[in-house]
Amino acid sequence: MNQNMAAAMELRCWGADWGLPSVHTDSLIVLAYTKFSGASVTVSPVDWTWKTITANIPELLCGDSVVQEPAQILNFMRKQRFNADYELTARQGADTMAYIALLEEKLRPALLHTFWVDAENYANLTRPWFASRSPFPLNFLVPSHHANIALSRILLTKGEAPLHRISEVEGKIYSDAKECLNLLSYRLGSANYFFGNLPTSLDAFVFGFVAPLDKAHLPSTPLQSHLRQLENLTRFCDNVLAAYFSSDQPRPPPPVQETVDANLQKLTQLVNKESNLIEKMDDNLRSSPQHKSHRADPKPGLSGARSSTPA
Amino acid sequence: MSLAAEAFVSQMAAAEPWPENATLYQPLKEDQILLSDHASSIAVQAYLRMCSLPVQVVCRANAEYMSPSGKIPFINVGNQVVSELGPIVQFTKAKGHSLSDSLDDVQRAEMKAYMELVNNMLLTAELYIQWCDDATVAEISHPRYSSPYSWPLGKILAYQKQWEVRRKMNAIGWGGKTLEQVYEDVNQCCQALSQRLGTQPYFFNKQPTELDALVFGHLFSILTTRLTSNELAERVKSYSNLLSFCRRIEQTYFEDKSS
């Protein structure tokens, strides 16, 4: 086995913003994994270079080999003995594969839609950001290229032939994504990471998918508001950012465990839902005609007493 | 189906019990049906048998076009038509039959994750082998898919389907994969399933769930369908607990009709 660990690894990815080391999901997955596994990788953002359109981001260069796609890059790093999954049992490794498949099938279409297809978000956030990070004249090409790829991916995987129309699948992909976020929240419970006390590749994937959704300043936010209600997921992202991406310490001690009962959390979610329902019912009741008789007779004596001037 | 239509169907479904004359439609078994469709059909049949819901299997050449979503299989229950395993599971749940009620939230999350793993890896691999591998396409997929139709309609439909599947493979990044890589992915998926199953009779201990039905459907079809090479079946056979799992489900739920 050649001592390739000494060879420098360079990662090409999209640049940082919104408090995250990268705004691009796949780049973020790889960056998180490099931190978790302790690999030293020079990060070269492709912003303002021609690589924005020629390269398949993220890309790992090590010696002569070029590896693309997050799953392949993670495999490559494991072979270089940077393995964050070392302590997992076989069953946990199988669970990792299953949850990653869940993320890809259920969450990715909705994320692509939120960032690249939703007209408000695309026009106000995504396109300006990517156009501002691409050199002239690519700033006209790069965002629309990504948007086309995103739209065709959503339609081909979720659209029902022969009527490939985005409006028909929108409802379905968002409800799938919300369910996926709920499932992740159940699985995470009150733990810091998905498997024990140290983060693994599943944590990297979840971080890569969830963090941009949490931190981006999206104008149109049904999915983001749903995510923000799942406090353990937002806390998970903040933990990872504070522990591995804050600029002072390379590998800090494990964060303090909060003793929040998982059942209490579920109960809180249920109570929130119930109180929302009750509020809605209350609103409906107040606007119904029978209710008006109650409020139409203010006590004349009191108001008269308040407004009477002292003689 | 849109969300409103789904809610409406659930409501109507809850109103009536399961009738005796429910039918499941799939393409012709001997000549037409392909590996991926066969897998989905067996999965649904296994699920309905696990719920002890009677259903008749009817083979029609145009089943794919009759289906509301374009995918096989679909069931016709009363006056409603539901296709694909996911919606069918929800439909039967609305009628009061469910296999996964006893699972807690974390287990249900795991079950859904594993079902997505099977869909993401096994189903996609089956589609790839059927429609993107030239040898299989020429020898098996085109002749079978176009068998009910006369020339040139059969050829046109087969090419159209192939083009559609290849577009989808390119969109999800499988377009550039070689056959060896696909076999390796199948191997990893089977390894994950094997490790999850361990020595238990079913994935969630004593009771079968829709995950067991789905896994059985895919593995059974892979083991029993003739392809250009045995490589795929060999990869599955190397996991003995998956083999005994398939045999167990086959014996429990599918062999009663021959006895």
Side-chain angles (χ1 to χ4, degrees), chain A:
Chain A
M1 178 82 179
N2 53 348
Q3 290 299 315
N4 225 351
M5 286 199 292
M9 291 197 278
E10 188 194 339
L11 178 69
R12 292 203 190 117
C13 59
W14 282 102
D17 202 358
W18 311 332
L20 298 171
S22 172
V23 304
H24 182 227
T25 288
D26 289 342
S27 311
L28 206 51
I29 293 173
V30 178
L31 280 172
Y33 188 80
T34 55
K35 294 281 182 189
F36 296 162
S37 60
S40 57
V41 169
T42 41
V43 176
S44 39
V46 299
D47 303 5
W48 299 294
T49 67
W50 279 75
K51 293 262 179 307
T52 45
I53 202 139
T54 53
N56 185 357
I57 313 293
E59 219 172 40
L60 186 72
L61 298 136
C62 180
D64 289 332
S65 47
V66 177
V67 192
Q68 298 167 343
E69 303 283 322
Q72 308 285 348
I73 295 179
L74 262 58
N75 273 345
F76 182 81
M77 291 179 73
R78 277 191 210 108
K79 289 198 193 118
Q80 302 292 323
R81 292 192 247 154
F82 292 114
N83 191 356
D85 299 337
Y86 194 67
E87 312 240 326
L88 294 182
T89 64
R91 164 108 176 229
Q92 288 173 328
D95 282 353
T96 301
M97 279 185 71
Y99 277 103
I100 291 176
L102 183 72
L103 286 171
E104 287 282 341
E105 284 282 321
K106 299 275 182 187
L107 193 52
R108 193 183 276 273
L111 282 185
L112 286 177
H113 188 277
T114 302
F115 281 97
W116 294 101
V117 180
D118 181 289
E120 236 182 279
N121 289 337
Y122 179 64
N124 292 331
L125 183 70
T126 323
R127 193 179 54 191
W129 196 93
F130 280 87
S132 67
R133 302 296 176 110
S134 311
F136 181 84
L138 292 181
N139 52 339
F140 297 115
L141 302 174
V142 166
S144 51
H145 175 69
H146 285 304
N148 284 338
I149 294 179
L151 183 63
S152 68
R153 179 162 174 159
I154 296 175
L155 286 179
L156 285 175
T157 50
K158 298 289 172 189
E160 291 167 359
L163 300 167
H164 288 298
R165 272 205 301 263
I166 192 69
S167 48
E168 291 176 358
V169 296
E170 272 169 10
K172 180 111 195 353
I173 57 180
Y174 276 105
S175 69
D176 277 348
K178 287 179 185 168
E179 193 194 340
C180 177
L181 289 173
N182 287 344
L183 295 177
L184 286 176
S185 180
Y186 291 144
R187 176 62 182 80
L188 181 62
S190 54
N192 276 325
Y193 301 110
F194 279 88
F195 296 115
N197 274 333
L198 288 177
T200 58
S201 45
L202 178 59
D203 301 283
F205 268 86
V206 174
F207 179 69
F209 275 85
V210 170
L213 185 63
D214 187 27
K215 301 286 180 192
H217 310 298
L218 294 166
S220 156
T221 62
L223 195 57
Q224 194 179 47
S225 1
H226 185 90
L227 172 64
R228 298 247 167 97
Q229 288 176 354
L230 299 169
E231 284 169 5
N232 57 352
L233 286 180
T234 49
R235 187 171 45 86
F236 167 79
C237 291
D238 291 333
N239 267 351
V240 171
L241 278 174
Y244 291 96
F245 288 104
S246 60
S247 39
D248 19 334
Q249 297 150 328
R251 199 76 184 267
V256 177
Q257 294 238 347
E258 295 177 12
T259 50
V260 175
D261 193 20
N263 286 335
L264 181 59
Q265 234 176 1
K266 268 192 262 183
L267 198 58
T268 321
Q269 279 177 12
L270 267 174
V271 167
N272 282 341
K273 268 193 246 171
E274 287 295 321
S275 63
N276 284 342
L277 274 174
I278 292 177
E279 261 180 30
K280 271 194 222 153
M281 273 167 41
D282 206 25
D283 285 337
N284 283 341
L285 206 55
R286 280 187 200 285
S287 57
S288 76
Q290 287 113 333
H291 196 73
K292 289 240 166 52
S293 53
H294 258 285
R295 299 200 294 166
D297 50 355
K299 302 270 189 287
L302 282 175
S303 54
R306 268 203 301 265
S307 56
S308 65
T309 56

Side-chain angles (χ1 to χ4, degrees), chain B:
Chain B
M1 273 201 276
S2 70
L3 288 180
E6 265 183 34
F8 179 67
V9 165
S10 296
Q11 228 178 356
M12 296 211 33
E16 307 158 346
W18 191 270
E20 286 297 317
N21 60 347
T23 39
L24 178 141
Y25 288 89
Q26 67 171 32
L28 304 174
K29 202 150 141 180
E30 293 304 316
D31 305 317
Q32 190 193 15
I33 197 167
L34 291 173
L35 175 60
S36 52
D37 294 336
H38 191 222
S40 310
S41 175
I42 296 276
V44 171
Q45 287 178 44
Y47 178 74
L48 291 173
R49 280 169 192 252
M50 286 173 186
C51 293
S52 317
L53 294 171
V55 70
Q56 257 186 324
V57 178
V58 172
C59 297
R60 288 269 184 277
N62 60 341
E64 194 180 1
Y65 301 105
M66 286 201 278
S67 159
S69 69
K71 303 224 170 63
I72 316 288
F74 66 96
I75 57 174
N76 180 10
V77 177
N79 57 354
Q80 279 150 14
V81 182
V82 191
S83 65
E84 292 186 81
L85 184 63
I88 291 178
V89 168
Q90 279 181 332
F91 182 76
T92 51
K93 196 164 175 176
K95 285 210 183 283
H97 305 270
S98 170
L99 294 178
S100 53
D101 276 342
S102 54
L103 301 179
D104 66 27
D105 285 328
V106 176
Q107 284 178 318
R108 192 165 298 132
E110 256 188 58
M111 179 184 80
K112 299 224 164 158
Y114 275 95
M115 284 177 75
E116 289 310 320
L117 179 67
V118 171
N119 278 334
N120 201 358
M121 289 253 181
L122 281 185
L123 181 62
T124 317
E126 286 166 7
L127 283 173
Y128 181 94
I129 292 172
Q130 271 169 219
W131 293 107
C132 299
D133 171 40
D134 294 324
T136 318
V137 164
E139 205 181 302
I140 298 181
S141 310
H142 266 225
R144 284 185 76 97
Y145 193 79
S146 52
S147 60
Y149 310 107
S150 58
W151 191 91
L153 180 61
K155 264 191 127 39
I156 295 174
L157 289 176
Y159 271 115
Q160 188 183 42
K161 180 82 175 170
Q162 183 182 3
W163 182 74
E164 200 182 297
V165 172
R166 283 202 180 179
R167 268 184 79 196
K168 182 172 165 180
M169 292 293 139
N170 283 336
I172 58 177
W174 279 58
K177 289 201 183 185
T178 63
L179 203 53
E180 268 313 304
Q181 283 172 326
V182 171
Y183 287 143
E184 186 50 41
D185 284 339
V186 170
N187 195 20
Q188 284 195 358
C189 180
C190 290
Q191 189 180 30
L193 289 172
S194 172
Q195 279 161 356
R196 178 64 180 81
L197 183 62
T199 50
Q200 296 170 330
Y202 299 110
F203 277 93
F204 288 95
N205 214 0
K206 298 288 187 308
Q207 294 300 321
T209 56
E210 46 261 36
L211 173 62
D212 302 277
L214 185 64
V215 173
F216 172 73
H218 281 277
L219 295 182
F220 184 77
S221 328
I222 290 177
L223 291 170
T224 54
T225 305
R226 190 189 68 83
L227 290 173
T228 50
S229 83
N230 280 335
E231 183 86 33
L232 198 57
E234 290 303 317
R235 302 275 174 145
V236 173
K237 279 186 198 164
S238 59
Y239 297 98
S240 56
N241 62 346
L242 292 180
L243 275 184
S244 51
F245 168 80
C246 287
R247 175 143 312 284
R248 188 179 320 121
I249 293 196
E250 193 190 345
Q251 277 169 350
T252 320
Y253 294 102
F254 280 88
E255 274 177 15
D256 49 357
K257 51 185 181 182
S258 57
S259 58

